[in-house]
Amino acid sequence: MIAVESYAPIERSSSVAEQVAKRLLEMVRTKALKPGDQLPPERELATYMQVSRPSLREALRGLQILGVLKMRQGGGIYVTGLEASDLLGPLQFLITLDSQNLGSLYESRHMIDGSIARLATERITDAQIASLHRLVEAQVHLTNDSLGFRLADTEFHETIAAATGNTFLVTISHSLYVLGMEYRRIAAETPNVLERSLAEHRVIVAALEARDAAAAEAAMQAHLLSVHRSTLDVMQAKGA
């Protein structure tokens, strides 16, 4: 349980709700509040921070929208896992409403993931190569299971990013991947798309195993272009 003194009274220098939100975010940043921690009941928290319950509710609602806090069934507000899927959920929702953003998302992944594949050739381990081979072989049996294929696809790209050993690149790559989840769901339901992705994954793994930086970058970028085109075709057909 978090110490009561952590929820110090709020100074009235600006919007009370804004100050409450900033205080809670600071507690998350400093790990005074950790993923999975439960906040005190609303009445107690308002008393600790010496704010009105309406102001507290406004701050908590804002942090829930941002994906920092979540309400669990049965009551109680908790800190989320603070994963990219939690924090980018609201942004993902907005982006999926505007298909014109698909081009910008592809352009970003083309630059970032292409460079990640190039760097991975220098740092990837034999164990990671073996993991990629296992994922590709698993995908052979998942071409009729779009959800299962996408789960394996997530692990495939995460393994390559992790091979760079650069936590910033891992986070950026995963964030872009999360933002494109809805687009990939649409594309994955199109005939032959998963078979094509499987073939492209094999080329990527072969280039990584050969430690061929130029080939790995080109293979990753060709794969992303293929995903982009197939998704765009479906969205245009649906008038999205």
Side-chain angles (χ1 to χ4, degrees):
M1 188 69 174
I2 307 301
V4 170
E5 53 267 25
S6 297
Y7 304 101
I10 293 298
E11 299 178 4
R12 267 55 174 185
S13 57
S14 60
S15 161
V16 174
E18 180 182 343
Q19 290 296 306
V20 171
K22 285 182 177 179
R23 172 66 57 75
L24 294 174
L25 283 172
E26 179 64 14
M27 292 173 69
V28 170
R29 188 188 69 79
T30 60
K31 294 183 170 49
L33 281 172
K34 301 180 182 65
D37 282 349
Q38 181 179 11
L39 271 62
E42 185 180 287
R43 185 185 298 276
E44 292 180 24
L45 187 54
T47 299
Y48 298 154
M49 305 183 85
Q50 296 182 16
V51 297
S52 67
R53 291 179 73 177
S55 293
L56 175 63
R57 287 193 195 109
E58 182 181 347
L60 295 178
R61 189 179 304 114
L63 292 176
Q64 287 181 70
I65 291 172
L66 289 175
V68 176
L69 301 178
K70 64 180 176 183
M71 177 80 74
R72 287 188 182 170
Q73 189 173 6
I77 296 180
Y78 294 77
V79 179
T80 68
L82 302 177
E83 300 290 340
S85 54
D86 296 319
L87 302 177
L88 293 172
L91 184 55
Q92 180 185 11
F93 174 73
L94 291 174
I95 286 181
T96 56
L97 296 180
D98 182 4
S99 61
Q100 292 181 355
N101 285 311
L102 180 62
S104 296
L105 179 60
Y106 158 71
E107 186 176 65
S108 300
R109 290 197 70 201
H110 182 272
M111 294 176 63
I112 299 297
D113 282 25
S115 297
I116 282 174
R118 172 178 282 275
L119 182 59
T121 61
E122 302 173 11
R123 303 177 181 179
I124 197 165
T125 65
D126 290 341
Q128 288 169 325
I129 290 290
S131 293
L132 292 174
H133 276 298
R134 285 194 295 271
L135 286 167
V136 167
E137 290 312 307
Q139 287 178 328
V140 170
H141 307 289
L142 294 171
T143 53
N144 292 318
D145 178 1
S146 62
L147 176 58
F149 193 99
R150 294 201 310 276
L151 291 173
D153 183 73
T154 300
E155 189 174 352
F156 180 86
H157 286 279
E158 287 180 344
T159 300
I160 296 173
T164 67
N166 186 313
T167 55
F168 291 99
L169 286 176
V170 170
T171 300
I172 293 169
S173 176
H174 184 62
S175 298
L176 293 173
Y177 190 96
V178 168
L179 291 174
M181 279 184 175
E182 180 64 14
Y183 294 133
R184 277 189 303 285
R185 183 192 66 77
I186 296 171
E189 295 172 356
T190 306
N192 301 318
V193 163
L194 296 185
E195 287 84 355
R196 186 160 60 248
S197 285
L198 172 61
E200 291 161 357
H201 284 177
R202 290 189 186 280
V203 176
I204 292 169
V205 174
L208 289 170
E209 190 166 26
R211 270 61 176 187
D212 187 331
E217 181 177 30
M220 179 63 76
Q221 291 176 338
H223 171 54
L224 296 175
L225 178 59
S226 175
V227 172
H228 174 64
R229 285 175 171 167
S230 60
T231 307
L232 193 60
D233 287 345
V234 174
M235 296 183 77
Q236 289 175 342
K238 292 185 176 182

